[in-house]
Amino acid sequence: TGPNGTGKERIAEIIQANSQVADGPFVVLNCGALPSELIEAELFGAEAGAYTGASRAREGKFEAADGGTLFLDEIGNLPLAGQMKLLRVLETGRFERLGSNRERQVKVRVISATNADLAAMIRAGTFREDLFYRLNVIELRLPPLAARPGDILPLAASFLAGRKTLHASAEVALLAHGWPGNVRELKNVMA
């Protein structure tokens, strides 16, 4: 959890790279970028003809991530219907493609991220409490970049990737900046 741009996806990549499934796929799905009517097809795939425009069968993110990690970004934006289906696959590892009655089995590590207050969403009835407890096994809170100044210069150097070095006055300026856009802003400044 943490504000936008704090590096949640990068932390998920680091977890993947240092895990027993490091050789498996790392698949990302931004739950906030999809219309609610497409979320099921994105997560679980779809058979040909399952919906208008589905001219051929396609695998979903769970199939693509089998044996690896599925990173669900902006999980707080997942519609309630999608939350219910996600809960089922998290509990059983089984799902059906949209338009199919054949059950499929996968083994996927799921990492989710959000900047939303999921506890408030649960109280408001917009996020399932059972899904929250299924996902919230280990919670990592990423504070804003301004609250972790020790990360600024190493991140800046990594974004420069050895193409350039920072002058001492540039380092002072980077440390003095408030970074309202967090790591994402720093990365863009270094580009």
Side-chain angles (χ1 to χ4, degrees), residues 29-36 39 72-79 113-114:
L29 176 64
N30 184 335
C31 298
L34 291 172
S36 59
I39 195 73
L72 299 174
D73 199 9
E74 301 301 343
I75 191 72
N77 293 334
L78 188 65
T114 187

Side-chain angles (χ1 to χ4, degrees), residues 51-116:
Y51 58 88
T52 304
S55 58
R56 60 184 173 87
R58 63 188 272 290
E59 71 178 14
K61 299 299 186 186
F62 269 96
E63 282 181 87
D66 194 15
T69 300
L70 175 58
F71 176 61
L72 299 174
D73 199 9
E74 301 301 343
I75 191 72
N77 293 334
L78 188 65
L80 281 170
Q83 292 176 35
M84 184 171 57
K85 292 176 180 172
L86 176 59
L87 179 62
R88 180 176 181 273
V89 74
L90 291 176
E91 290 175 346
T92 66
R94 297 185 185 111
F95 64 93
E96 295 170 3
R97 282 182 177 173
L98 191 62
S100 173
N101 59 4
R102 186 176 142 237
E103 196 168 67
R104 297 169 188 274
Q105 177 87 35
V106 292
K107 185 171 183 181
V108 174
R109 165 189 286 130
V110 173
I111 300 174
S112 61
T114 187
N115 63 354

